[in-house]
Amino acid sequence: MRDIKIAPSILASDFSKLGEEVRAVTEAGADWIHLDVMDGHFVPNISYGPDVIAALRAHTEIPFDCHLMIAPADPYLEAFARAGCDTITVHAEAGPHLHRSLQAIRALGKKAGVTLNPATPVSAIEHVIDMVDLVLVMSVNPGFGGQKFIDAVVPKIAAIDALIGDRPIDLEVDGGVTAATAPACAKAGANAFVAGSAIFKGGTVDAYRANIEAIRAAATDNRP
Ligand code: DX5
Ligand code: ZN
């Protein structure tokens, strides 16, 4: 069974002290740092890019889980690899050559991830499943933190879990994840949980730890 991973999204952190926030969630027990890169084109918001990620690399040793919401992605993959991302995830909708993007990520020596918007069917990744280390299921329309979890993605998580089968692929969910929505995702087969607003509230390491542990417990207690 795949390990449970909790991945705080720093999109919800205090951008004026990003290094400190990364250290705080690391100390609070985060497994991965989730990095939401937005271009104002593929999604209607702009966040941060490879230079910010590179600056954060020295602040923690846990893996950087990079979620690229950019189109095109291919010209920038090398920059994100150099910035210290461990997993680089591209959207299936972000370009016509998903297979090539995933090949390029692995050629850079990084773990390759693919993600699907809520409206995108599972069939979009059927033929690239052997090229990925992670599948990210979007449970909100990407672009903003703090949105409501879309329940209709739960059966999609189950379908992707079936597609993954015994392969060593993490199944991650992103958007509106809280201790209340994590159980249905875990039951459907998700093992990795991104959360922004549910983790970065309270402003202290102790608060972050409690927030992380609440999601971890909700997920662990509801494994299939
Ligand atoms: C949305 C991002 C998410 C977001 C999650 O485009 O991909 O990672 O930060 O934020 P919450 O947990 O607040 O929905
Ligand atoms: Zn994300």
Side-chain angles (χ1 to χ4, degrees):
M1 198 182 253
R2 299 180 289 263
D3 294 342
I4 295 282
K5 303 285 182 188
I6 307 296
S9 165
I10 59 163
L11 192 64
S13 74
D14 182 342
F15 276 16
S16 72
K17 48 175 191 177
L18 276 177
E20 209 177 297
E21 293 277 63
V22 164
R23 291 198 304 276
V25 280
T26 301
E27 196 184 331
D31 297 295
W32 300 339
I33 301 293
H34 186 80
L35 300 161
D36 287 305
V37 178
M38 304 179 179
D39 66 354
H41 165 74
F42 179 69
V43 289
N45 193 12
I46 298 176
S47 58
Y48 51 81
D51 291 348
V52 170
I53 294 173
L56 293 173
R57 192 59 279 192
H59 291 266
T60 186
E61 288 184 355
I62 65 175
F64 275 2
D65 171 38
C66 180
H67 175 194
L68 294 181
M69 288 162 272
I70 65 175
D74 293 9
Y76 304 100
L77 297 174
E78 190 177 349
F80 287 99
R82 281 177 190 276
C85 298
D86 296 280
T87 302
I88 300 177
T89 296
V90 290
H91 268 267
E93 309 85 359
H97 302 295
L98 176 60
H99 188 282
R100 177 181 290 151
S101 303
L102 297 168
Q103 251 179 347
I105 295 167
R106 283 194 163 171
L108 289 162
K110 302 299 174 183
K111 290 188 172 179
V114 66
T115 180
L116 300 172
N117 283 331
T120 304
V122 176
S123 58
I125 60 168
E126 199 183 320
H127 301 291
V128 293
I129 196 69
D130 284 313
M131 302 188 59
V132 301
D133 304 288
L134 176 145
V135 177
L136 175 61
V137 180
M138 290 309 302
S139 40
V140 298
N141 289 296
F144 303 94
Q147 302 181 79
K148 189 181 175 302
F149 182 88
I150 298 170
D151 295 305
V153 303
V154 172
K156 190 155 94 173
I157 295 171
I160 294 171
D161 184 50
L163 173 65
I164 289 173
D166 291 336
R167 295 174 178 89
I169 296 175
D170 287 302
L171 180 46
E172 185 175 41
V173 60
D174 182 7
V177 172
T178 65
T181 57
C185 302
K187 276 186 193 137
N191 72 292
F193 299 80
V194 177
S197 40
I199 289 177
F200 285 98
K201 56 181 190 195
T204 64
V205 173
D206 285 346
Y208 296 168
R209 185 178 293 114
N211 299 338
I212 287 170
E213 286 317 311
I215 296 170
R216 194 189 299 284
T220 305
D221 294 348
N222 286 280
R223 302 217 75 181

